[in-house]
Amino acid sequence: MTSTPLARPTMRFSERPLGRFWREYSQSHAAVFGLVMTLILIAVAFLAPLIAPQDPYDLMQVDFMDSELPPGAIGGAGQTYVLGTDANGRDMLSALLFGLRASFMVALSSLGIALVFGTLMGLVSAYAGRWVDSLIMRIVDIQMSFPTILVAMMLMVTFGRGIDKTIFALAVVQWAYFARNVRASALVERSREYVLAAQLAQVPTFRILWRHILPNCLPPLMVIASIQLASAVSIEASLSFLGLGMPVTQPSLGMLISNGFGYLLGGKYWISVAPGIALGLTVFSLSLMSDRLRDMFNPRLKR
Amino acid sequence: MTPDAKIETLLEMQGIEHVFGRREDWVDKGVRLIRGKRTAPARVRALNGVDLTLGKGEVLGIAGESGCGKSTLGRAMVGLMHPTGGSVTYRGQPVMRGRRPLHLKLQMIFQDSGSVLNPRLRVKELIGEGPILHGLLARRDLEDFVADQLETVGMAPDVMNRYPHQFSGGQRQRINVARVLALRPETIVCDESVAALDVSIQAQILNLFMDLKDRFGLTYAFISHDLGVLRHISDRIMVMYLGRVVEEGPAAEVFANPRHPYTRALLENAPRLSRRNQIFQAVPGEVPSPLNMPSGCAFHTRCALRRPECSLSVPNLMGTGAHRHACPIVEAAA
Ligand SMILES: Nc1ncnc2c1ncn2[C@@H]1O[C@H](COP(=O)(O)OP(=O)(O)O)[C@@H](O)[C@H]1O
Ligand code: SF4
Ligand SMILES: [Mg+2]
């Protein structure tokens, strides 16, 4: 083999291979449960058109005569409504799966946009410094000093409901977290010797940012992203619950809950409760999954 | 200034001063007036008028306790930062363009702190990046090139696909040297380049530095708090105290016949290569804070020879020829 013996791996978490990462992550059974649930929920959500008993928004498939049936009831065509039906005779299980899909779609795409934009702003802020940095960070401060849900609501009221507008509003309220975090990591990385060495080697600024600084800022960024996913899902649910978010043609979990709300007192609890439980389970799983990541990256909690 | 007129001067620093800390702008001033504070915010005077020349082929050792401004000086030398005062030129040109270093021929090797090499890049990417960017190397020749570079620093070519964390400190420093050499430098500033290594490895790396110097005709400015290291390799020595040069001269002369009380104290207490790696506390007494520089000769708070007049004015470098020192008291005694 080689004349140079291998040294022990370093202490830095980010440098360890995936295996070590998993070993540490899986020490928490709750976290593994959260991760597995998250993956199942996302898979189920995106496979909704394939696995749902009906397309709840195709009027041809919905039988109005089957409205407000309780869970387990048999429909006019002989089908079983596992979770019952709503006031229009929609199969609640199908509505729920499609709702989950809408929720994840909006949450994930807003997260993606916020991540890319926030990261870009954070990098520019850290590397440009001076007034560019001050300007971007003041905007971040202002953004973060308002309650997230309030900003999102104001945007939705201003621009009206719709998928694209919901995604936009959620991206607007989330990018600042990424920007601030990336800036902090990038400032640390920027003064490390390997970045100074790259400057001495006349590596162009863009390449230093892209190839040297950014990859070393990614691990904490992924933690933030995983934490933000739960928050994106719940903000979207709140908006849609208030009738400010998704359009009626594409209801998410939040809107399903709100649709069934009026029937709660009439004893038709399932119309609201089923999507409510689904939402709760989703946010709970996402939090379990991300809390572990956060703990692992927080050096103060490490032995 | 040049020790030998025939030697070409590569690097020249004149009157270098550096103060860390933001300059007060009008907002700060306003706040200070409102709050009724008398004094401006604390600022660290890291360098207080350093002159230096580096001749081609020379090894200049820069000594001094931790915190005396060596790293700041080193970074200013290679153009990683603008000192707040003075000029730095390399072959007669400024070392910076805008906020970036200008000369590819002027490189720096840092202390191995675990972050001298980008942890996300493989050895071959680390070594090949610069040369490919500068057209010194075609991408398809990368592996051959990297193998050559690794051989130059005494490492096997098959490590090129590994990541930095898979190596020991000494190996990482070799890879770092290979990375710098791949840029075909002429002058290298080494800042505590062996300080983090075990004593036996230190000697190996120092020998490597000296081999490479002969082989490639390199010029070094070698910064170290460790006189044992500098004694090994330097042609010329510069001793710094709190951002000023207190003694400089040919290494053999300074080591054999130190003049400044600070240099003497350092040498009396300097650990030999054999028993180093202890916490460096060569000179008795605390180093004063550069936040609050002592007046006059900055060493007067610790000097055994001090006289009342020592705290009155800053002594200039004196003495004839290349060996000079900044203490009028020993001058009178000599
Ligand atoms: N970025 C910085 N900001 C403020 N003070 C600094 C900074 N870098 C160094 N200093 C201070 O400047 C002085 C000289 O530091 P340095 O050049 O690193 O000394 P050395 O390398 O000799 O140990 C020290 O007092 C140090 O605390
Ligand atoms: S000038 Fe005075 S205080 Fe300074 S080194 Fe000489 S004797 Fe000591
Ligand atoms: Mg230093």
CSV table of all heavy atoms in Angstrom, one decimal, chain A residues 28-75:
chain,number,residue,atom,x,y,z
A,28,SER,N,-31.1,8.2,18.7
A,28,SER,CA,-32.4,8.6,19.2
A,28,SER,C,-33.5,7.9,18.4
A,28,SER,O,-33.7,8.0,17.2
A,28,SER,CB,-32.6,10.1,19.0
A,28,SER,OG,-34.0,10.4,19.0
A,29,HIS,N,-34.2,7.0,19.1
A,29,HIS,CA,-35.3,6.2,18.4
A,29,HIS,C,-36.4,7.2,18.0
A,29,HIS,O,-37.0,7.0,16.9
A,29,HIS,CB,-35.8,5.2,19.4
A,29,HIS,CG,-34.8,4.2,19.7
A,29,HIS,ND1,-34.2,3.3,18.8
A,29,HIS,CD2,-34.2,3.9,20.9
A,29,HIS,CE1,-33.3,2.6,19.4
A,29,HIS,NE2,-33.2,2.9,20.7
A,30,ALA,N,-36.7,8.2,18.8
A,30,ALA,CA,-37.7,9.1,18.4
A,30,ALA,C,-37.4,9.8,17.1
A,30,ALA,O,-38.2,9.9,16.2
A,30,ALA,CB,-37.9,10.2,19.5
A,31,ALA,N,-36.1,10.1,16.9
A,31,ALA,CA,-35.7,10.8,15.7
A,31,ALA,C,-35.8,9.9,14.5
A,31,ALA,O,-36.3,10.3,13.4
A,31,ALA,CB,-34.2,11.3,15.8
A,32,VAL,N,-35.4,8.6,14.7
A,32,VAL,CA,-35.6,7.6,13.6
A,32,VAL,C,-37.0,7.5,13.2
A,32,VAL,O,-37.4,7.5,12.0
A,32,VAL,CB,-35.0,6.3,14.0
A,32,VAL,CG1,-35.2,5.2,12.9
A,32,VAL,CG2,-33.5,6.4,14.2
A,33,PHE,N,-37.9,7.4,14.2
A,33,PHE,CA,-39.3,7.3,14.0
A,33,PHE,C,-39.8,8.6,13.2
A,33,PHE,O,-40.5,8.4,12.2
A,33,PHE,CB,-40.1,7.3,15.3
A,33,PHE,CG,-41.6,7.4,15.2
A,33,PHE,CD1,-42.3,6.3,14.7
A,33,PHE,CD2,-42.2,8.6,15.5
A,33,PHE,CE1,-43.7,6.5,14.6
A,33,PHE,CE2,-43.6,8.7,15.3
A,33,PHE,CZ,-44.3,7.7,14.9
A,34,GLY,N,-39.3,9.7,13.6
A,34,GLY,CA,-39.7,11.0,12.9
A,34,GLY,C,-39.3,10.9,11.5
A,34,GLY,O,-40.0,11.3,10.6
A,35,LEU,N,-38.0,10.5,11.3
A,35,LEU,CA,-37.5,10.4,9.9
A,35,LEU,C,-38.3,9.5,9.0
A,35,LEU,O,-38.6,9.8,7.9
A,35,LEU,CB,-36.0,10.0,10.0
A,35,LEU,CG,-35.3,10.0,8.6
A,35,LEU,CD1,-35.2,11.4,8.0
A,35,LEU,CD2,-33.9,9.4,8.8
A,36,VAL,N,-38.5,8.3,9.6
A,36,VAL,CA,-39.3,7.3,8.8
A,36,VAL,C,-40.7,7.8,8.5
A,36,VAL,O,-41.1,7.7,7.3
A,36,VAL,CB,-39.3,6.0,9.6
A,36,VAL,CG1,-40.3,5.0,8.9
A,36,VAL,CG2,-38.0,5.3,9.7
A,37,MET,N,-41.3,8.4,9.5
A,37,MET,CA,-42.7,8.9,9.3
A,37,MET,C,-42.6,10.0,8.2
A,37,MET,O,-43.5,10.1,7.3
A,37,MET,CB,-43.2,9.5,10.6
A,37,MET,CG,-43.8,8.5,11.5
A,37,MET,SD,-45.1,7.5,10.8
A,37,MET,CE,-46.3,8.8,10.5
A,38,THR,N,-41.6,10.9,8.3
A,38,THR,CA,-41.5,12.0,7.3
A,38,THR,C,-41.4,11.4,5.9
A,38,THR,O,-42.1,11.9,5.0
A,38,THR,CB,-40.2,12.8,7.6
A,38,THR,OG1,-40.3,13.3,8.9
A,38,THR,CG2,-40.1,14.0,6.6
A,39,LEU,N,-40.5,10.4,5.8
A,39,LEU,CA,-40.3,9.8,4.4
A,39,LEU,C,-41.6,9.2,3.9
A,39,LEU,O,-42.0,9.3,2.8
A,39,LEU,CB,-39.2,8.8,4.5
A,39,LEU,CG,-37.8,9.4,4.7
A,39,LEU,CD1,-36.7,8.3,4.8
A,39,LEU,CD2,-37.5,10.4,3.7
A,40,ILE,N,-42.3,8.5,4.8
A,40,ILE,CA,-43.6,7.8,4.5
A,40,ILE,C,-44.6,8.9,4.0
A,40,ILE,O,-45.2,8.8,3.0
A,40,ILE,CB,-44.1,7.0,5.6
A,40,ILE,CG1,-43.2,5.8,5.8
A,40,ILE,CG2,-45.6,6.5,5.3
A,40,ILE,CD1,-43.6,4.9,7.0
A,41,LEU,N,-44.7,9.9,4.9
A,41,LEU,CA,-45.7,11.0,4.6
A,41,LEU,C,-45.4,11.6,3.2
A,41,LEU,O,-46.3,11.9,2.4
A,41,LEU,CB,-45.7,12.0,5.7
A,41,LEU,CG,-46.4,11.5,7.0
A,41,LEU,CD1,-46.1,12.5,8.1
A,41,LEU,CD2,-47.9,11.4,6.8
A,42,ILE,N,-44.1,11.9,3.0
A,42,ILE,CA,-43.8,12.6,1.7
A,42,ILE,C,-44.1,11.6,0.6
A,42,ILE,O,-44.7,12.0,-0.5
A,42,ILE,CB,-42.3,13.0,1.7
A,42,ILE,CG1,-42.1,14.2,2.7
A,42,ILE,CG2,-41.9,13.5,0.3
A,42,ILE,CD1,-40.7,14.7,2.8
A,43,ALA,N,-43.7,10.4,0.7
A,43,ALA,CA,-44.0,9.4,-0.3
A,43,ALA,C,-45.5,9.3,-0.6
A,43,ALA,O,-45.9,9.4,-1.8
A,43,ALA,CB,-43.4,8.0,0.0
A,44,VAL,N,-46.3,9.1,0.5
A,44,VAL,CA,-47.7,9.0,0.3
A,44,VAL,C,-48.3,10.2,-0.3
A,44,VAL,O,-49.1,10.2,-1.2
A,44,VAL,CB,-48.3,8.8,1.7
A,44,VAL,CG1,-49.8,9.1,1.7
A,44,VAL,CG2,-48.1,7.4,2.2
A,45,ALA,N,-47.8,11.4,0.1
A,45,ALA,CA,-48.3,12.6,-0.5
A,45,ALA,C,-48.1,12.7,-2.0
A,45,ALA,O,-49.0,13.0,-2.7
A,45,ALA,CB,-47.6,13.8,0.2
A,46,PHE,N,-46.9,12.4,-2.4
A,46,PHE,CA,-46.6,12.5,-3.8
A,46,PHE,C,-47.2,11.4,-4.7
A,46,PHE,O,-47.4,11.5,-5.9
A,46,PHE,CB,-45.1,12.7,-4.1
A,46,PHE,CG,-44.8,14.1,-3.7
A,46,PHE,CD1,-44.3,14.5,-2.4
A,46,PHE,CD2,-45.0,15.2,-4.6
A,46,PHE,CE1,-44.0,15.8,-2.0
A,46,PHE,CE2,-44.7,16.5,-4.2
A,46,PHE,CZ,-44.2,16.8,-2.9
A,47,LEU,N,-47.5,10.3,-4.0
A,47,LEU,CA,-48.2,9.2,-4.7
A,47,LEU,C,-49.7,9.3,-4.6
A,47,LEU,O,-50.4,8.4,-5.2
A,47,LEU,CB,-47.7,7.8,-4.2
A,47,LEU,CG,-46.2,7.5,-4.4
A,47,LEU,CD1,-45.8,6.2,-3.7
A,47,LEU,CD2,-45.9,7.5,-5.9
A,48,ALA,N,-50.2,10.3,-4.1
A,48,ALA,CA,-51.6,10.5,-3.8
A,48,ALA,C,-52.5,10.1,-5.1
A,48,ALA,O,-53.4,9.4,-5.0
A,48,ALA,CB,-52.0,11.9,-3.3
A,49,PRO,N,-52.1,10.7,-6.2
A,49,PRO,CA,-53.0,10.4,-7.4
A,49,PRO,C,-53.0,8.9,-7.7
A,49,PRO,O,-54.0,8.4,-8.3
A,49,PRO,CB,-52.3,11.2,-8.5
A,49,PRO,CG,-51.5,12.2,-7.9
A,49,PRO,CD,-51.0,11.6,-6.5
A,50,LEU,N,-52.0,8.2,-7.3
A,50,LEU,CA,-52.0,6.7,-7.6
A,50,LEU,C,-52.7,5.9,-6.6
A,50,LEU,O,-53.3,4.9,-6.9
A,50,LEU,CB,-50.5,6.2,-7.7
A,50,LEU,CG,-49.7,6.9,-8.9
A,50,LEU,CD1,-48.3,6.4,-8.8
A,50,LEU,CD2,-50.4,6.6,-10.2
A,51,ILE,N,-52.6,6.3,-5.3
A,51,ILE,CA,-53.1,5.5,-4.3
A,51,ILE,C,-54.4,5.9,-3.7
A,51,ILE,O,-55.1,5.1,-3.0
A,51,ILE,CB,-52.1,5.3,-3.1
A,51,ILE,CG1,-51.7,6.7,-2.5
A,51,ILE,CG2,-50.8,4.6,-3.6
A,51,ILE,CD1,-50.8,6.6,-1.3
A,52,ALA,N,-54.9,7.1,-4.0
A,52,ALA,CA,-56.1,7.6,-3.4
A,52,ALA,C,-57.3,6.9,-4.0
A,52,ALA,O,-57.3,6.6,-5.3
A,52,ALA,CB,-56.3,9.1,-3.6
A,53,PRO,N,-58.3,6.5,-3.3
A,53,PRO,CA,-59.5,5.8,-3.8
A,53,PRO,C,-60.2,6.6,-5.0
A,53,PRO,O,-60.6,6.0,-5.9
A,53,PRO,CB,-60.4,5.6,-2.6
A,53,PRO,CG,-59.5,5.7,-1.4
A,53,PRO,CD,-58.4,6.6,-1.8
A,54,GLN,N,-60.2,7.9,-4.8
A,54,GLN,CA,-60.8,8.7,-5.9
A,54,GLN,C,-60.1,10.0,-6.0
A,54,GLN,O,-59.3,10.4,-5.2
A,54,GLN,CB,-62.3,9.0,-5.6
A,54,GLN,CG,-62.5,9.8,-4.3
A,54,GLN,CD,-63.9,10.3,-4.1
A,54,GLN,OE1,-64.1,11.5,-3.7
A,54,GLN,NE2,-64.9,9.5,-4.3
A,55,ASP,N,-60.3,10.7,-7.2
A,55,ASP,CA,-59.8,12.0,-7.3
A,55,ASP,C,-60.9,12.9,-6.7
A,55,ASP,O,-61.9,13.1,-7.3
A,55,ASP,CB,-59.5,12.4,-8.8
A,55,ASP,CG,-59.0,13.8,-8.9
A,55,ASP,OD1,-59.1,14.5,-7.9
A,55,ASP,OD2,-58.6,14.1,-10.0
A,56,PRO,N,-60.6,13.5,-5.5
A,56,PRO,CA,-61.7,14.2,-4.8
A,56,PRO,C,-62.1,15.5,-5.5
A,56,PRO,O,-63.2,16.0,-5.2
A,56,PRO,CB,-61.1,14.5,-3.5
A,56,PRO,CG,-59.6,14.4,-3.7
A,56,PRO,CD,-59.4,13.5,-4.8
A,57,TYR,N,-61.4,15.9,-6.5
A,57,TYR,CA,-61.7,17.2,-7.2
A,57,TYR,C,-62.2,16.9,-8.6
A,57,TYR,O,-62.4,17.9,-9.4
A,57,TYR,CB,-60.6,18.2,-7.1
A,57,TYR,CG,-60.3,18.3,-5.6
A,57,TYR,CD1,-59.2,17.7,-5.0
A,57,TYR,CD2,-61.2,18.9,-4.8
A,57,TYR,CE1,-59.0,17.7,-3.7
A,57,TYR,CE2,-61.0,18.9,-3.4
A,57,TYR,CZ,-59.9,18.3,-2.8
A,57,TYR,OH,-59.7,18.3,-1.5
A,58,ASP,N,-62.4,15.7,-8.9
A,58,ASP,CA,-63.1,15.3,-10.2
A,58,ASP,C,-64.5,15.1,-9.9
A,58,ASP,O,-64.9,14.1,-9.3
A,58,ASP,CB,-62.4,14.1,-10.8
A,58,ASP,CG,-63.1,13.7,-12.1
A,58,ASP,OD1,-64.0,14.4,-12.5
A,58,ASP,OD2,-62.6,12.7,-12.7
A,59,LEU,N,-65.4,16.1,-10.3
A,59,LEU,CA,-66.8,16.0,-10.0
A,59,LEU,C,-67.5,14.7,-10.5
A,59,LEU,O,-68.4,14.2,-9.9
A,59,LEU,CB,-67.5,17.2,-10.5
A,59,LEU,CG,-67.2,18.5,-9.8
A,59,LEU,CD1,-67.9,19.7,-10.4
A,59,LEU,CD2,-67.5,18.4,-8.3
A,60,MET,N,-66.9,14.1,-11.5
A,60,MET,CA,-67.5,12.9,-12.1
A,60,MET,C,-67.3,11.7,-11.1
A,60,MET,O,-68.1,10.8,-11.1
A,60,MET,CB,-66.8,12.5,-13.4
A,60,MET,CG,-66.9,13.6,-14.5
A,60,MET,SD,-68.6,13.9,-14.9
A,60,MET,CE,-69.0,12.4,-15.7
A,61,GLN,N,-66.2,11.8,-10.2
A,61,GLN,CA,-66.0,10.7,-9.3
A,61,GLN,C,-66.7,10.9,-8.0
A,61,GLN,O,-66.7,10.0,-7.2
A,61,GLN,CB,-64.5,10.5,-9.1
A,61,GLN,CG,-63.7,10.1,-10.4
A,61,GLN,CD,-62.3,9.9,-10.1
A,61,GLN,OE1,-61.9,9.4,-9.0
A,61,GLN,NE2,-61.4,10.2,-11.1
A,62,VAL,N,-67.1,12.1,-7.7
A,62,VAL,CA,-67.7,12.4,-6.4
A,62,VAL,C,-69.2,12.2,-6.5
A,62,VAL,O,-69.9,12.7,-7.3
A,62,VAL,CB,-67.3,13.8,-5.9
A,62,VAL,CG1,-68.0,14.1,-4.6
A,62,VAL,CG2,-65.8,13.9,-5.8
A,63,ASP,N,-69.8,11.4,-5.5
A,63,ASP,CA,-71.2,11.2,-5.5
A,63,ASP,C,-71.8,12.0,-4.4
A,63,ASP,O,-71.6,11.8,-3.2
A,63,ASP,CB,-71.5,9.7,-5.3
A,63,ASP,CG,-73.0,9.4,-5.4
A,63,ASP,OD1,-73.8,10.4,-5.5
A,63,ASP,OD2,-73.3,8.2,-5.4
A,64,PHE,N,-72.6,13.1,-4.8
A,64,PHE,CA,-73.2,14.0,-3.9
A,64,PHE,C,-74.1,13.3,-2.9
A,64,PHE,O,-74.3,13.8,-1.8
A,64,PHE,CB,-73.9,15.1,-4.6
A,64,PHE,CG,-74.3,16.2,-3.8
A,64,PHE,CD1,-73.3,17.1,-3.3
A,64,PHE,CD2,-75.6,16.5,-3.4
A,64,PHE,CE1,-73.6,18.2,-2.5
A,64,PHE,CE2,-75.9,17.5,-2.5
A,64,PHE,CZ,-75.0,18.4,-2.1
A,65,MET,N,-74.7,12.2,-3.3
A,65,MET,CA,-75.6,11.4,-2.5
A,65,MET,C,-74.9,10.8,-1.3
A,65,MET,O,-75.5,10.5,-0.3
A,65,MET,CB,-76.3,10.3,-3.3
A,65,MET,CG,-77.1,10.8,-4.4
A,65,MET,SD,-78.3,12.0,-4.0
A,65,MET,CE,-79.5,11.0,-3.1
A,66,ASP,N,-73.6,10.7,-1.4
A,66,ASP,CA,-72.8,10.1,-0.3
A,66,ASP,C,-72.3,11.1,0.8
A,66,ASP,O,-71.4,10.8,1.5
A,66,ASP,CB,-71.6,9.3,-0.8
A,66,ASP,CG,-72.0,8.0,-1.5
A,66,ASP,OD1,-73.2,7.6,-1.3
A,66,ASP,OD2,-71.2,7.4,-2.2
A,67,SER,N,-72.9,12.3,0.8
A,67,SER,CA,-72.3,13.3,1.6
A,67,SER,C,-72.5,13.0,3.1
A,67,SER,O,-73.4,12.4,3.6
A,67,SER,CB,-73.0,14.7,1.3
A,67,SER,OG,-74.3,14.6,1.7
A,68,GLU,N,-71.4,13.5,3.9
A,68,GLU,CA,-71.4,13.4,5.3
A,68,GLU,C,-71.6,12.0,5.9
A,68,GLU,O,-72.2,11.8,6.9
A,68,GLU,CB,-72.5,14.4,5.9
A,68,GLU,CG,-72.3,15.8,5.5
A,68,GLU,CD,-73.3,16.8,6.1
A,68,GLU,OE1,-73.8,16.5,7.2
A,68,GLU,OE2,-73.6,17.8,5.5
A,69,LEU,N,-71.0,11.1,5.2
A,69,LEU,CA,-71.0,9.7,5.7
A,69,LEU,C,-69.9,9.6,6.8
A,69,LEU,O,-68.8,10.1,6.6
A,69,LEU,CB,-70.8,8.7,4.6
A,69,LEU,CG,-71.9,8.6,3.6
A,69,LEU,CD1,-71.6,7.6,2.5
A,69,LEU,CD2,-73.2,8.2,4.3
A,70,PRO,N,-70.2,8.8,7.9
A,70,PRO,CA,-69.1,8.6,8.9
A,70,PRO,C,-68.1,7.7,8.4
A,70,PRO,O,-68.3,6.9,7.4
A,70,PRO,CB,-69.9,8.0,10.1
A,70,PRO,CG,-71.1,7.4,9.4
A,70,PRO,CD,-71.4,8.1,8.2
A,71,PRO,N,-66.9,7.6,9.1
A,71,PRO,CA,-65.8,6.7,8.7
A,71,PRO,C,-66.4,5.3,8.7
A,71,PRO,O,-67.1,4.9,9.5
A,71,PRO,CB,-64.8,6.9,9.8
A,71,PRO,CG,-65.1,8.2,10.4
A,71,PRO,CD,-66.5,8.5,10.2
A,72,GLY,N,-65.9,4.6,7.7
A,72,GLY,CA,-66.3,3.2,7.5
A,72,GLY,C,-67.6,2.9,6.8
A,72,GLY,O,-68.0,1.8,6.5
A,73,ALA,N,-68.3,4.0,6.5
A,73,ALA,CA,-69.6,3.8,5.8
A,73,ALA,C,-69.5,3.3,4.4
A,73,ALA,O,-68.4,3.5,3.7
A,73,ALA,CB,-70.4,5.1,5.8
A,74,ILE,N,-70.5,2.6,3.9
A,74,ILE,CA,-70.5,2.1,2.6
A,74,ILE,C,-71.2,3.1,1.7
A,74,ILE,O,-72.3,3.5,2.0
A,74,ILE,CB,-71.2,0.7,2.5
A,74,ILE,CG1,-70.7,-0.3,3.6
A,74,ILE,CG2,-71.1,0.1,1.1
A,74,ILE,CD1,-69.3,-0.7,3.4
A,75,GLY,N,-70.6,3.4,0.5
A,75,GLY,CA,-71.2,4.4,-0.4
A,75,GLY,C,-72.3,3.8,-1.3
A,75,GLY,O,-72.5,2.6,-1.3
